[in-house]
């Protein structure tokens, strides 16, 4: 699976904070790891 978060600058002023938040360990890496764990459990 490949995740591409595009056009994040459309969030307006402060978009860099949004980018940093989704890249943080509590952002996409966390949610993708949880998703992968569900797939492993269900498979």
């Amino acid at each position: 699976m490949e995740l591409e978060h595009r056009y994040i600058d459309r969030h307006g002023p402060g978009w860099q904070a949004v980018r940093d938040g989704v890249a943080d360990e509590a952002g996409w890496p966390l949610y993708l790891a949880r998703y992968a764990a569900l797939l492993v459990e269900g498979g």
Side-chain angles (χ1 to χ4, degrees):
M1 180 169 90
E2 183 176 318
L3 173 71
E4 181 179 347
H5 199 138
R6 293 190 255 169
Y7 310 115
I8 202 163
D9 57 319
R10 292 182 183 175
H11 288 277
W15 67 267
Q16 295 92 340
V18 175
R19 177 203 55 210
D20 295 345
V22 297
D24 185 72
E25 287 299 314
W28 281 120
L30 173 65
Y31 288 99
L32 291 174
R34 288 179 178 175
Y35 181 69
L38 287 172
L39 293 177
V40 170
E41 290 174 14

